[in-house]
């Protein structure tokens, strides 16, 4: 998504794609725009702010913490995504914290502007429902994985979700760039050592290949089979 300082616009967000250029201009001008540095907290779990955040550039981790202080990443949001909608909708405290994982440029929308848009524009409301449906599906999948998969298999399942088809080579999938080990560990509720081991042990067979910052899935079907067969094996032992 293009985000020159001169062009602070919400045009590229699919949530708002039904709005006319005039409407986008008006909504954009009513947002506050801020750049967050890598590692900077954007909002804290349980805080009472209600703004909605639109990521123009960068990436944001949605995180929660256990009583013992262990960090669990619920999702990573990238340019074109938004977050912070729950408090605007239900007026409850923030359900999770949000931290910039890279330098991020963000439009901050006041809650009444957001809820007016959702109430007035059925298309915006429907896009929001689609997004909430996606969060429910992903959360359900993660709960299943936590209950039925061992740590290494959760790592493979996460890699399968992160991978995109490689534009240059049909059939090849790539995680571009591979996030730091601690981020994958936080997403899969395991340790960075386990993530490292799980990935490294598929190098000799050629199923995974590291090139620079990217990780190539050389045979996606085979990796899916590994996750499924170990899932069946794990369940069978119960
Ligand atoms: N399980 C989840 N998956 C993806 N995003 C989430 C999840 N839980 C919370 N969030 C986001 O994190 C935000 C924290 O502030 P809110 O509760 O206002 O809105 C929340 C959602 O946008």
């Amino acid at each position: 998504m293009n985000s020159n300082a001169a062009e602070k616009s919400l045009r590229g967000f699919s949530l708002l794609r039904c709005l006319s250029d005039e409407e986008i201009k008006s909504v954009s001008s009513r947002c506050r725009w801020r750049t967050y540095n890598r590692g900077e907290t954007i909002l804290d779990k349980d805080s009472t702010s209600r703004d909605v955040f639109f990521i123009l550039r960068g990436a944001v981790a949605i995180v929660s913490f256990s009583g013992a202080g262990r960090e669990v990443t619920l999702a990573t949001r990238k340019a074109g995504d938004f977050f912070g909608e729950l408090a605007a909708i239900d007026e409850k405290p923030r359900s999770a914290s949000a931290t910039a994982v890279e330098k991020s440029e963000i439009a901050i929308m006041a809650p009444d502007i957001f809820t007016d848009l959702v109430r007035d524009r059925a298309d915006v409301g429907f896009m929001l429902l689609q997004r909430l449906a996606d969060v429910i599906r992903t959360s359900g999948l993660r709960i299943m994985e936590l209950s039925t998969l061992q740590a290494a298999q959760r790592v493979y399942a996460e890699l399968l979700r992160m991978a995109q088809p490689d534009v240059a080579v049909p059939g090849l999938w790539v995680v571009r760039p591979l996030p730091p080990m601690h981020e994958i560990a936080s997403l899969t509720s395991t340790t960075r050592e386990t993530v490292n081991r799980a990935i490294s042990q598929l190098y000799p067979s050629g199923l995974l290949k590291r090139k620079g910052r990217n990780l190539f899935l050389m045979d996606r079907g085979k990796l899916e089979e590994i996750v499924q067969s170990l899932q069946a094996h794990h369940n069978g032992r119960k």
Side-chain angles (χ1 to χ4, degrees):
M1 179 173 296
N2 189 352
S3 71
N4 298 330
E7 198 193 322
K8 292 189 162 171
S9 168
L10 294 172
R11 180 74 283 171
F13 288 85
S14 52
L15 179 77
L16 306 175
R17 71 172 166 224
C18 68
L19 301 190
S20 69
D21 287 346
E22 265 321 293
E23 288 168 319
I24 283 286
K25 216 168 148 186
S26 154
V27 176
S28 303
S29 70
R30 294 163 72 200
C31 289
R32 287 176 288 130
W33 297 77
R34 235 199 98 170
T35 302
Y36 293 86
N37 290 319
R38 182 164 179 253
E40 199 174 343
T41 300
I42 301 170
L43 61 85
D44 283 311
K45 184 172 191 293
D46 292 329
S47 61
T48 53
S49 66
R50 305 252 190 276
D51 293 325
V52 184
F53 298 78
F54 291 80
I55 310 171
L56 209 72
R57 187 168 56 86
V60 172
I62 307 293
V63 290
S64 201
F65 299 90
S66 72
R70 180 168 166 179
E71 181 186 295
V72 177
T73 300
L74 302 175
T76 304
R77 296 288 175 218
K78 301 216 159 114
D81 280 333
F82 61 95
F83 61 93
E85 75 286 8
L86 297 187
I89 295 168
D90 64 13
E91 301 185 354
K92 291 185 179 163
R94 295 293 189 183
S95 59
S97 299
T99 304
V101 287
E102 16 179 290
K103 191 170 178 180
S104 300
E105 191 178 349
I106 290 183
I108 306 169
M109 185 184 283
D112 54 326
I113 301 178
F114 181 78
T115 50
D116 281 354
L117 272 172
V118 174
R119 284 203 177 94
D120 295 348
R121 305 297 300 252
D123 289 350
V124 175
F126 191 71
M127 291 295 290
L128 177 62
L129 283 178
Q130 286 193 323
R131 154 57 188 275
L132 294 177
D134 182 60
V135 170
I136 292 170
R137 282 178 185 277
T138 309
S139 302
L141 262 179
R142 286 236 162 79
I143 291 168
M144 277 306 289
E145 287 173 9
L146 277 171
S147 323
T148 62
L149 296 187
Q150 290 163 353
Q153 285 70 60
R154 296 202 297 275
V155 172
Y156 302 146
E158 196 60 50
L159 293 176
L160 284 163
R161 263 194 296 276
M162 288 175 176
Q164 304 285 332
D166 186 28
V167 277
V169 186
L172 210 61
W173 289 69
V174 58
V175 182
R176 191 192 306 271
L178 183 66
M181 296 293 134
H182 72 268
E183 265 179 54
I184 302 176
S186 178
L187 273 166
T188 51
S189 291
T190 186
T191 61
R192 72 178 79 190
E193 290 77 16
T194 302
V195 175
N196 205 4
R197 210 168 28 237
I199 292 178
S200 308
Q201 73 190 11
L202 294 191
Y203 288 150
S205 63
L207 262 185
L208 295 178
K209 207 172 251 176
R210 185 83 193 254
K211 267 196 203 156
R213 295 179 66 207
N214 304 330
L215 184 79
F216 287 85
L217 279 51
M218 307 307 287
D219 186 340
R220 190 187 165 98
K222 192 91 197 207
L223 197 58
E224 282 168 349
E225 271 173 31
I226 289 179
V227 173
Q228 278 156 18
S229 67
L230 287 161
Q231 187 170 24
H233 176 72
H234 185 67
N235 290 344
R237 282 200 332 234
K238 281 194 182 159

